[in-house]
Amino acid sequence: MTAGLWSIPLPPLLGFLILALGGGRLTKPLIAWLGIGGVAMSALFSAVIGFEFLHAGLPVFRCVFGNWLTIADLSVPFGFYLDALSLTMLLVVTGVGVLIHLYAAEFMAAESGYARFFAYMNLFVAAMLVLVLADNLLLLYLGWEGVGLGSYLLIGFWYSEPRNGYAARKAFIMTRCGDAALLLGLLLLFTQLHSLDIQALMAQAAERWTPGGRLPETAAALLLGGAVGKSAQLPLQSWLPDAMAGPTPVSALIHAATMVTAGVYLIARTHVLFALAPTIQQLVGWLGVVTLLMAGCSALTQTDIKRVLAYSTISQLGYMFLALGVGAWSAAIFHLLTHAFFKALLFLAAGVVIAGLQHEHNIFKMGGLRKRLPLACRSFLIGAAALSGLPFTAGFYSKHEILQAVYASSAGLWALGCLGSVITGIYSFRLVFIVFFGSAYTGAVTQSGQRMCIPLYLLCGLALGGGLLQIPLDTVLPLSPTKLPAQDFNPISLLSAVAPMLGLALAVLFYVTGHLSVRRLTALNWVKPLQQFWFQGWGMDSFYSYMVLRPFQTLTQLNRHDVADSFYLGLARLCRHGNLICGALQTGRVRWYAASMALGTGFLIAIGCLS
């Protein structure tokens, strides 16, 4: 069965090749079958192999197909590695991915470039599968870069609009900054430990490196740089809201099943290294908590339905980083699993609303849609409840486990995490109440077909019951620092559970009953600039513009004649003038040559006599 691991990423990769090379000659139904079928086969193979893996009770499945690269003493095999961590990621990527592909078959049916869209989607999924199955860092990096390429192609799918191309380039460049740090980290690990095999690297690092030493701290910091870029954490988070320029199924795939989860997976996979670098591990937690609060505040002020969800993704990824930072490795992956369910549900439901309202994105131009789009309304209610972490939803179990573990490590971080839960409850139900309640939208509303509705029904069930799924991550990841089970309602767990309910209550007071006035609050002089600051993502784009872009443009303007080229241009001029001088001496007159030889000989004799 281990040899069957190759069959998981192969179907979407073949689907990409067929659609990219011959999609223009295929009908749309056949394109949809190929696009959905490739990911569906991967999901089926993942389920079968996963069942066999769990039934066999083995810690790992491993399959090596041969040597990919052999240079001197370096030998890099092309092999896949399956354990409980990679199995969890496989089920997320393929299971949620196939539902998004099914949804996209109808959502994108009227768009040109139908084959190109599904080719990009299949490539994206295949790259993510290679990333999570890779047994060595070089193969992981191949999948990592493939995911970056896929995101660029999908975010800029509607490339005829300049802003879409800008958003794609922004995502590509900002994540490349993190990728450069990751590459340096891989090179450092190889030069110091002489291996690229992930398990061998972790074993050697634990054996040879001292906790808190310079090498593990440096390597962990570089890997963190890569994770921060892909998972949109501070300071490289501003690309993700702009990535909403892509089609809604793309947003769902990036936010729920692929791309942004890669950074969380990387840190969890190399947790041994981060445990050897306690300073960097603490930094992971602080980056997570600051990012989740910043993103939550920004979500409170957004008017675009997809940008609200984008900032919520950044915030929930912050919770995962917070868990990783306190050593709650399995809690972080558990939240990654449940987040995939309710975030895919929210994005796909948002797509139903957007398509139903003729591609309207402004939530204040919607309203009263609960009766006209009942499935979307129910989906949003369930998704918002799970996103907030209300009891008996999938999000409750995973977020509650994170907060329990965080409290065992730091009461301060726990308090900030609870504050984030309050903010999440406010912006989640702000979105629900504005879009589906209040003043009714009077325009025409288009109903969605079955291919868009079936994924919503399934994701509703997963967003409610997905917290009951259990994969034995303790065989791969160390236990969380807390021994308190999630169902024990001690005072701390009770406060953790009450926090999102407080957010819901505040949202009701602001957007349903009107006991608290949003208009009166935003009219305050000190609130207006704060609201604008949050709306602009805490000014991160302006910061990069003033601190990076403008200085770079100034330097390029000053160096417009290229100082480095000046040396070579001067050398070329010197050679040219020397050639002219030498050419002037070649007159072709024999008497001139004879006279020159006589003068030269006399000059040399004079020097000899004088010396």
Side-chain angles (χ1 to χ4, degrees):
M1 186 60 69
T2 57
L5 290 176
W6 64 269
S7 64
I8 296 177
L10 185 60
L13 183 59
L14 290 176
F16 159 71
L17 293 174
I18 294 170
L19 292 171
L21 298 176
R25 295 183 290 274
L26 303 177
T27 62
K28 283 191 173 181
L30 183 56
I31 291 170
W33 274 106
L34 286 170
I36 300 169
V39 183
M41 289 179 67
S42 288
L44 177 62
F45 293 150
S46 297
V48 171
I49 294 174
F51 176 80
E52 179 70 19
F53 170 77
L54 295 174
H55 180 71
L58 298 174
V60 298
F61 277 175
R62 193 166 193 171
C63 180
V64 177
F65 311 111
N67 279 343
W68 177 24
L69 192 64
T70 302
I71 303 175
D73 294 334
L74 172 63
S75 179
V76 180
F78 196 97
F80 289 154
Y81 181 92
L82 181 69
D83 58 9
L85 175 57
S86 51
L87 176 60
T88 303
M89 295 297 297
L90 284 181
L91 296 177
V92 169
V93 174
T94 59
V96 176
V98 71
L99 295 178
I100 294 172
H101 276 69
L102 178 61
Y103 177 97
E106 181 179 333
F107 188 89
M108 300 295 293
E111 300 289 340
S112 58
Y114 196 65
R116 178 167 58 90
F117 174 80
F118 276 103
Y120 293 166
M121 292 277 278
N122 273 214
L123 174 64
F124 199 36
V125 171
M128 190 68 188
L129 293 174
V130 169
L131 189 158
V132 301
L133 282 172
D135 72 341
N136 63 78
L137 290 177
L138 190 59
L139 190 57
L140 182 148
Y141 192 72
L142 175 67
W144 189 276
E145 291 300 318
V147 168
L149 172 63
S151 68
Y152 168 77
L153 295 172
L154 287 168
I155 294 169
F157 177 76
W158 289 317
Y159 57 84
S160 58
E161 289 288 335
R163 68 182 186 90
N164 297 339
Y166 169 79
R169 292 192 301 274
K170 182 178 181 180
F172 191 79
I173 292 170
M174 292 194 75
T175 55
R176 288 294 77 71
C177 295
D179 295 354
L182 174 60
L183 179 58
L184 291 175
L186 305 191
L187 294 174
L188 174 62
L189 289 170
F190 173 70
T191 56
Q192 295 300 316
L193 301 176
H194 308 291
S195 176
L196 287 172
D197 183 274
I198 296 174
Q199 305 308 314
L201 277 174
M202 296 303 104
Q204 290 187 53
E207 180 182 347
R208 296 171 54 183
W209 285 352
T210 303
R214 178 176 57 85
L215 286 175
E217 295 278 359
T218 304
L222 290 171
L223 296 188
L224 175 59
V228 161
K230 273 289 190 288
S231 292
Q233 295 294 284
L234 188 72
L236 298 177
Q237 82 279 21
S238 63
W239 67 267
L240 193 56
D242 288 350
M244 297 303 96
T248 299
V250 173
S251 303
L253 193 61
I254 289 177
H255 288 247
T258 60
M259 184 75 170
V260 296
T261 61
V264 178
Y265 170 78
L266 176 67
I267 296 177
R269 174 58 74 196
T270 57
H271 67 274
V272 173
L273 184 61
F274 282 86
L276 293 171
T279 302
I280 303 303
Q281 187 176 343
Q282 290 176 11
L283 178 61
V284 173
W286 280 104
L287 282 178
V289 77
V290 173
T291 303
L292 74 88
L293 291 174
M294 289 177 62
C297 292
S298 292
L300 287 171
T301 62
Q302 300 302 308
T303 58
D304 185 308
I305 187 171
K306 287 175 65 177
R307 287 182 75 89
V308 175
L309 298 178
Y311 278 108
S312 77
T313 297
I314 298 174
S315 181
Q316 297 308 301
L317 289 165
Y319 275 105
M320 298 175 207
F321 270 65
L322 175 59
L324 295 170
V326 299
W329 315 103
S330 58
I333 299 302
F334 186 27
H335 194 55
L336 184 154
L337 174 68
T338 61
H339 174 262
F341 300 148
F342 60 74
K343 187 51 58 69
L345 174 63
L346 286 168
F347 266 110
L348 298 188
V352 170
V353 174
I354 292 168
L357 274 59
Q358 291 73 51
H359 299 282
E360 179 60 65
H361 284 241
N362 192 330
I363 60 175
F364 292 103
K365 294 182 180 180
M366 304 173 186
L369 295 175
R370 65 185 183 279
K371 294 182 179 179
R372 305 181 73 179
L373 293 173
L375 178 58
C377 180
R378 290 193 295 270
S379 299
F380 255 96
L381 283 170
I382 293 172
L387 173 61
S388 303
L390 295 183
F392 310 113
T393 64
F396 166 76
Y397 296 103
S398 56
K399 189 178 290 187
H400 192 75
E401 186 174 333
I402 288 175
L403 291 175
Q404 289 277 77
V406 170
Y407 181 79
S409 177
S410 169
L413 286 176
W414 170 80
L416 294 174
C418 287
L419 176 60
S421 289
V422 175
I423 295 172
T424 304
I426 297 173
Y427 72 67
S428 299
F429 285 96
R430 166 185 178 263
L431 184 60
V432 172
F433 294 145
I434 290 175
V435 173
F436 296 101
F437 296 84
S439 301
Y441 174 80
T442 57
V445 176
T446 305
Q447 300 296 324
S448 300
Q450 286 299 312
R451 284 183 295 179
M452 290 175 64
C453 293
I454 291 173
L456 292 180
Y457 286 118
L458 295 174
L459 288 169
C460 281
L462 290 171
L464 288 174
L468 302 177
L469 295 176
Q470 294 293 332
I471 295 177
L473 289 169
D474 57 337
T475 61
V476 182
L477 302 172
L479 293 175
S480 299
T482 177
K483 298 297 184 182
L484 297 174
Q487 63 267 26
D488 283 358
F489 280 95
N490 50 73
I492 297 304
S493 65
L494 184 60
L495 289 173
S496 302
V498 167
M501 298 181 190
L502 177 59
L504 169 59
L506 290 172
V508 170
L509 293 175
F510 273 112
Y511 300 104
V512 178
T513 66
H515 285 93
L516 297 177
S517 173
V518 177
R519 184 174 299 177
R520 189 178 304 168
L521 178 63
T522 53
L524 298 175
N525 291 333
W526 65 273
V527 173
K528 283 184 178 179
L530 183 63
Q531 181 188 23
Q532 187 64 21
F533 182 61
W534 288 354
F535 180 79
Q536 294 175 346
W538 293 65
M540 290 301 297
D541 285 335
S542 298
F543 171 79
Y544 284 123
S545 177
Y546 283 103
M547 298 303 294
V548 179
L549 181 60
R550 292 191 180 185
F552 181 77
Q553 289 175 332
T554 301
L555 288 175
T556 55
Q557 183 64 24
L558 292 173
N559 192 36
R560 61 186 180 276
H561 299 302
D562 200 336
V563 173
D565 279 354
S566 299
F567 170 77
Y568 297 102
L569 290 173
L571 184 62
R573 291 192 186 98
L574 180 62
C575 292
R576 190 161 52 247
H577 287 300
N579 178 68
L580 292 174
I581 294 172
C582 291
L585 296 175
Q586 306 300 315
T587 63
R589 298 175 181 177
V590 177
R591 286 179 295 178
W592 172 258
Y593 295 157
S596 300
M597 291 173 64
L599 288 173
T601 303
F603 180 72
L604 291 174
I605 293 172
I607 291 175
C609 292
L610 292 174
S611 62

